[in-house]
Amino acid sequence: MTQSLSDIRADIARQLAEGAASRRSACHTPVVGTADADMRVMVLRAFDPDSWTLRFHTDARSPKAQLIGEGAPAGVLFYDREAKVQMRCRGEGRIATQGETVDAAWAASTNFARRCYLGAEPGAISDTPTSGLPDWAEGVQPTEEQVAPAREHFALLLVTLREVDWLYLSNEGHRRAVLQVPAGEARWVTP
């Protein structure tokens, strides 16, 4: 695989956009890590190629939301098994609970997805296995009125990328590049 650094930058942006748009994309469900070394799989909801910002949905009451708040380091790991490409992304995360972008994301969500934010606080202890949802909300598509109280718990995790460490795995020899984004230095490094 011979690519230029500018081709790699363009391909990374294409993969992130595809990951946000398609459930079938390998980049749709990356691993997101926070400064406390906690990691979780999240669904990539949007990618802004101008600012290199990733958007995820989260519960404003979650430990990660409390940790990140208005700004904290965050990492996002993508792996495309078919393409044999790993992307370790580093950036600044922030939690948004108000504003046009949050309102638009809430409006674009289905009531079935919105009901997740009706549940108990993430991490709440239970004596039995539970989704945390109220009994009436288990397995049903609630009405707009029923999910309205959930809006106060809905938030966005926005991660503005600063660096992408790109690794192509090959039997012939791996290739690795580190790119500063949205614009800036890019360099080849040994894997």
Side-chain angles (χ1 to χ4, degrees):
M1 167 188 253
T2 303
Q3 287 183 300
S4 70
L5 290 169
S6 61
D7 288 343
I8 290 170
R9 182 185 300 275
D11 192 56
I12 292 168
R14 180 197 59 76
Q15 287 183 334
L16 295 178
E18 183 181 294
S22 173
R23 291 176 183 212
R24 299 189 193 285
S25 168
C27 292
H28 188 60
T29 53
V31 174
V32 178
T34 47
D36 61 352
D38 197 5
M39 291 171 267
R40 74 280 293 149
V41 174
M42 295 183 76
V43 175
L44 178 61
R45 302 294 182 166
F47 168 64
D48 179 343
D50 294 328
S51 65
W52 283 73
T53 299
L54 308 173
R55 188 186 86 208
F56 303 91
H57 295 178
T58 193
D59 193 307
R61 303 167 295 169
S62 70
K64 72 180 162 299
Q66 303 310 307
L67 178 70
I68 293 171
E70 293 184 19
V76 185
L77 175 65
F78 296 91
Y79 180 63
D80 185 332
R81 181 177 173 184
E82 190 174 304
K84 298 185 280 185
V85 171
Q86 171 184 275
M87 296 182 294
R88 292 184 300 161
C89 303
R90 294 174 189 86
E92 179 81 8
R94 70 180 175 87
I95 300 296
T97 58
Q98 301 296 320
E100 287 181 29
T101 305
V102 182
D103 292 341
W106 177 258
S109 297
T110 65
N111 285 348
F112 198 74
R114 291 175 184 170
R115 78 188 171 106
C116 295
Y117 303 97
L118 288 170
E121 182 175 326
I125 296 174
S126 174
D127 292 332
T128 60
T130 179
S131 67
L133 292 173
D135 289 339
W136 66 264
E138 289 280 351
V140 301
Q141 173 93 339
T143 66
E144 292 279 332
E145 183 177 278
Q146 289 172 316
V147 295
R151 172 58 183 90
E152 74 177 282
H153 304 304
F154 178 75
L156 302 181
L157 165 56
L158 302 167
V159 180
T160 301
L161 301 181
R162 300 293 179 231
E163 181 179 273
V164 178
D165 188 322
W166 175 92
L167 176 66
Y168 172 67
L169 302 168
S170 171
N171 290 338
E172 297 173 9
H174 307 324
R175 300 293 183 263
R176 182 174 169 210
V178 176
L179 299 91
Q180 305 303 312
V181 292
E185 182 182 330
R187 63 195 181 282
W188 293 107
V189 297
T190 56

